[in-house]
Amino acid sequence: MYITKISTTMFQSNPQREREMARLRELERQRQAEIRRLKAEAELIKQIDKYPPLDDKISTQVAGFLSQFTCAIQNDSEHNIMEFFGDEKTAADLRKGLSAECQADSVKLREMVQSLEEVKDPVKTLIVANRMQKFAPKDGILSKEQQKSFVDGVKEVLSTTIRQADLDKFEAEDKASIIEMVQKIEDADSVHFGIEAQLKKLVDKLNKKNLNIGFIPPVKVRDLDMGKAVKMLKK
């Protein structure tokens, strides 16, 4: 999937904003469907990886959404991308110059964006970042100025999201690896960030650690409320 054009109506009409929010709702619907599938196979569950494979379908869809969302905001909108990804004070300050209707839309869309697991967890954000290259605009679609604005916006979104996260919950070595990958994103000239090998190593390490901590013997599975079990294994 590629960005083929910048819509001239992006974030200029309620129908367009509703379509963007509908896409976020669909991502969450698919996530819940996957959780229901896991519950149906509860008797076989021994461990659920904390982090998905690097080619995860949901992560890829989030990467596509964020790519198009950022491109539209950066190149054809009265909004600022940090309304949705900056801290609360920054977002509130940026909304002050908007109309009352646009402010309300901005708040609503921010809440939906911030609710995404791929925005709340820095490692999942890095998995999304690694999929951004799939959605790089083809040559000639954007002008040089638009292309630079798009890349700068994506980098700002990813960097801000990860650096605002609670990195202290990770061990020092893992935190250093996350920060190193963020720096690679910040220094990149395109959305090809070159973090895949390092990211895979980190994800494999964290999932292995999660297996050792979160394993539930099969004999205990039948005694658990599966909603709580899935949440426990996902922590």
Side-chain angles (χ1 to χ4, degrees):
M1 180 178 180
Y2 294 92
I3 298 172
T4 56
K5 65 178 181 179
I6 299 174
S7 170
T8 57
T9 60
M10 197 61 154
F11 300 101
Q12 300 299 322
S13 64
N14 286 329
Q16 185 63 44
R17 286 188 286 269
E18 284 298 321
R19 282 193 291 272
E20 293 303 321
M21 287 185 276
R23 293 182 66 191
L24 286 169
R25 286 191 289 267
E26 175 61 17
L27 287 171
E28 185 60 25
R29 186 197 67 77
Q30 291 187 35
R31 188 194 316 282
Q32 293 304 318
E34 178 65 8
I35 290 174
R36 287 194 295 272
R37 184 187 70 79
L38 290 171
K39 287 182 180 180
E41 299 174 359
E43 70 279 5
L44 301 177
I45 293 178
K46 292 183 179 181
Q47 189 267 338
I48 302 174
D49 284 344
K50 183 175 180 65
Y51 295 109
L54 299 195
D55 60 353
D56 172 56
K57 180 180 178 181
I58 295 294
S59 300
T60 301
Q61 290 178 331
V62 173
F65 169 79
L66 291 182
S67 292
Q68 292 189 333
F69 182 76
T70 302
C71 189
I73 291 290
Q74 290 290 97
N75 289 301
D76 188 38
S77 174
E78 61 187 318
H79 294 273
N80 184 297
I81 197 69
M82 287 298 107
E83 288 174 42
F84 311 100
F85 296 95
D87 60 70
E88 290 287 354
K89 183 179 185 308
T90 297
D93 288 343
L94 289 170
R95 287 195 296 267
K96 288 180 180 178
L98 301 174
S99 67
E101 181 182 11
C102 283
Q103 287 191 40
D105 289 335
S106 178
V107 170
K108 185 176 181 180
L109 190 51
R110 175 186 171 83
E111 289 174 352
M112 296 186 71
V113 167
Q114 290 294 320
S115 72
L116 291 172
E117 287 295 323
E118 291 75 14
V119 171
K120 293 189 290 187
D121 186 294
V123 176
K124 290 183 179 179
T125 304
L126 286 168
I127 294 173
V128 169
N130 188 58
R131 301 299 286 166
M132 287 287 185
Q133 57 190 305
K134 179 178 175 63
F135 302 94
K138 290 182 177 179
D139 291 343
I141 296 298
L142 303 178
S143 67
K144 288 184 179 180
E145 292 77 12
Q146 289 172 330
Q147 177 69 19
K148 184 178 187 305
S149 181
F150 164 68
V151 173
D152 288 347
V154 167
K155 288 163 54 176
E156 186 177 15
V157 165
L158 296 171
S159 174
T160 300
T161 298
I162 296 170
R163 289 189 181 277
Q164 285 181 161
D166 179 13
L167 299 181
D168 290 334
K169 67 182 180 181
F170 296 93
E171 293 182 1
E173 184 179 3
D174 299 334
K175 178 179 177 180
S177 180
I178 291 171
I179 292 174
E180 185 178 342
M181 282 186 275
V182 172
Q183 290 171 338
K184 288 182 179 179
I185 290 172
E186 293 168 344
D187 294 339
D189 295 324
S190 71
V191 292
H192 296 256
F193 300 124
I195 62 173
E196 185 162 344
Q198 186 175 2
L199 179 59
K200 187 177 188 309
K201 182 179 179 180
L202 176 64
V203 167
D204 289 346
K205 177 183 177 182
L206 292 175
N207 281 340
K208 183 177 180 180
K209 188 183 303 181
N210 191 59
L211 172 62
N212 293 334
I213 295 174
F215 178 75
I216 299 178
V219 70
K220 293 291 184 181
V221 171
R222 66 173 179 268
D223 298 326
L224 292 175
D225 174 273
M226 285 315 300
K228 294 180 180 179
V230 169
K231 291 180 181 178
M232 183 188 304
L233 288 168
K234 283 286 188 182
K235 289 181 180 178

